[in-house]
Amino acid sequence: MALQALIFDVDGTLADTERDGHRVAFNKAFAEAGLDWRWDVDLYGELLAVTGGKERMRHYIEKYRPDYKKPADFDALISRLHATKTQHYTSLLGHGGIPLRPGVHRLLQEARQRGLRLAIATTTTPANVSALLSHALSPEVESWFEVIGAGDVVAAKKPAPDIYHYVLERLKLSPQQCVAFEDSENGLRSSQAAGLGTVITINDYTRTHDFRGASLVLDHLGESDQPCQFLSGPSVNGATFLDLNLLDKIFFNT
Ligand code: XBP
Ligand code: MG
């Protein structure tokens, strides 16, 4: 069976968006709403255990702010905060922005040249995906992705496999024909449960996660002038970046 498609997670995988992007946007939304909720870098790392911004805010209140008296319209408050946070996040990407991680653009281009199909499977809001791709690369890049599975299109977010099932169904491919790219344990649990071989690129928030079951773990995808480290997986014979030939060898023994 040959490789047909690459499926990418977004936050932490395409770009390091959490610490200086999502976290900052949440804090701005809280401050504007007159709330004393404040997520510092370490706390945010703990909160990332729960995927999805709305779910993360609810988890914060339950676990860290038992003193907080929920208003009668708490659900509406969470929705409003999340909408404001999305506005802050997308405008933050437009101002200075957050670059794609090393090797991402290179691998996307290589996949397109080779006629591979591309897709996205993420927990984040669709507007955030558009903003990241158009500001980090250009507005037409979104159209490179045949399927964008994002946000609330499935009821159960990662680590549930639903978003990968959603994407695979729309691609009309089996998991054996695709490779997933993730950065976190929740992401790996999700892709693994959908039956996908998975490449992990770690980041500062996820380097201590449990990546057992991943096909390959790297610090990033690497560039010819920016070698990556292969942290676990099969021998790569001195490779310094991940390209499609290496991916074929690892996943399809070709
Ligand atoms: C990352 C997430 C998201 C973002 C926030 O998902 O967990 O919740 O932190 O996005 P992934 P929203 O790595 O799968 O892209 O606030 O839009 O939910
Ligand atoms: Mg991620």
Side-chain angles (χ1 to χ4, degrees):
M1 191 164 303
L3 177 60
Q4 302 282 321
L6 308 182
I7 309 177
F8 289 87
D9 168 51
V10 173
D11 296 302
T13 300
L14 293 184
D16 270 323
T17 50
E18 294 290 8
R19 192 191 67 182
D20 301 330
H22 290 292
R23 184 185 69 87
V24 172
F26 278 115
N27 283 328
K28 282 190 175 182
F30 301 154
E32 266 175 28
L35 294 161
D36 68 348
W37 309 357
R38 166 101 182 80
W39 292 357
D40 66 25
V41 171
D42 289 342
L43 172 61
Y44 194 67
E46 292 175 31
L47 295 172
L48 283 173
V50 172
T51 62
K54 296 186 286 288
E55 294 81 353
R56 190 168 297 143
M57 286 187 271
R58 290 178 190 283
H59 168 72
Y60 168 71
I61 291 306
E62 298 305 330
K63 184 158 177 208
Y64 295 86
R65 299 301 297 264
D67 54 309
Y68 175 73
K69 297 267 173 293
K70 287 184 196 166
D73 66 342
F74 184 61
D75 287 351
L77 171 65
I78 292 290
S79 297
R80 275 199 310 277
L81 286 170
H82 193 249
T84 311
K85 176 257 166 180
T86 299
Q87 278 171 7
H88 283 302
Y89 177 74
T90 53
S91 84
L92 196 146
L93 291 181
H95 295 97
I98 295 183
L100 297 186
R101 296 189 64 188
V104 170
H105 189 201
R106 171 185 57 74
L107 192 63
L108 292 176
Q109 282 178 310
E110 198 189 347
R112 278 167 57 75
Q113 278 156 15
R114 213 174 324 133
L116 287 188
R117 299 162 71 191
L118 297 172
I120 278 175
T122 176
T123 297
T124 204
T125 301
N128 298 346
V129 181
S130 311
L132 179 70
L133 294 174
S134 54
H135 294 303
L137 288 174
S138 63
E140 71 270 12
V141 170
E142 200 176 344
S143 69
W144 293 3
F145 296 89
E146 195 177 320
V147 179
I148 297 187
D152 297 328
V153 291
V154 290
K157 292 186 174 160
K158 297 175 188 177
D162 303 34
I163 195 69
Y164 279 102
H165 288 151
Y166 173 96
V167 170
L168 287 169
E169 257 168 46
R170 276 154 188 80
L171 288 172
K172 296 195 170 41
L173 291 175
S174 71
Q176 292 75 26
Q177 296 172 296
C178 307
V179 171
F181 291 79
E182 280 283 354
D183 70 301
S184 69
E185 191 172 332
N186 277 327
L188 174 62
R189 296 291 155 260
S190 172
S191 59
Q192 227 180 357
L196 286 147
T198 305
V199 173
I200 299 288
T201 47
I202 60 165
N203 56 54
D204 283 346
Y205 273 135
T206 68
R207 60 183 69 252
T208 58
H209 286 191
D210 178 0
F211 291 125
R212 272 173 296 181
S215 310
L216 188 65
V217 182
L218 312 98
D219 59 347
H220 54 77
L221 296 175
E223 298 279 17
S224 51
D225 60 351
Q226 195 178 351
C228 63
Q229 285 186 317
F230 290 83
L231 302 170
S232 76
S235 154
V236 293
N237 285 327
T240 56
F241 58 89
L242 182 67
D243 63 6
L244 290 180
N245 283 339
L246 185 55
L247 213 55
D248 270 337
K249 275 201 198 99
I250 291 170
F251 285 87
F252 298 93
N253 245 331
T254 56

